[in-house]
Amino acid sequence: MFKNRDIVCFFGDSITANGMWIAEIYQYLRTKYQIKCFNCGNAGASAYKAVDYLHSNCLSYNPDFVVTMFGINDIVNWLYSEKHKDFPNRQQTLDHYF
């Protein structure tokens, strides 16, 4: 699927921005191809708002492939802690995400 000189962008939230899972994929791809990878992760980002910064953060690199990973900020992960178990917006945030 990949070719030498392809450009791959990883687009997502802070989990993407921290780069840990990207590093493993990039190392694998480098063993097979001469590609460029860009980390386009943005802390606090959500799938809901991704289109607002897709071009400036990612498409400006003219990628051949874009790998996306969002979700943790969309479901407001802190709502699922024991402290917030009765929080009324739990279902609303899930419905909005899905």
Side-chain angles (χ1 to χ4, degrees), residues 46-89:
S46 67
Y48 181 70
K49 294 284 194 172
V51 72
D52 294 345
Y53 46 87
L54 175 62
H55 183 74
S56 61
N57 285 22
C58 184
L59 297 182
S60 58
Y61 292 107
N62 296 313
D64 298 291
F65 298 92
V66 177
V67 179
T68 61
M69 187 168 111
F70 289 98
I72 201 69
N73 296 323
D74 293 280
I75 62 165
V76 190
N77 64 322
W78 58 266
L79 288 178
Y80 301 90
S81 68
E82 190 61 31
K83 178 180 173 185
H84 295 94
K85 67 181 179 184
D86 297 323
F87 197 80
N89 289 348

Side-chain angles (χ1 to χ4, degrees), residues 11-59:
F11 184 55
D13 53 27
S14 60
I15 295 170
T16 300
N18 94 0
M20 291 179 70
W21 69 273
I22 293 171
E24 293 179 24
I25 295 170
Y26 181 56
Q27 291 293 39
Y28 171 76
L29 291 175
R30 283 185 52 191
T31 66
K32 305 255 184 216
Y33 310 98
Q34 296 173 351
I35 64 168
K36 288 185 181 179
C37 290
F38 294 95
N39 184 339
C40 302
N42 190 6
S46 67
Y48 181 70
K49 294 284 194 172
V51 72
D52 294 345
Y53 46 87
L54 175 62
H55 183 74
S56 61
N57 285 22
C58 184
L59 297 182

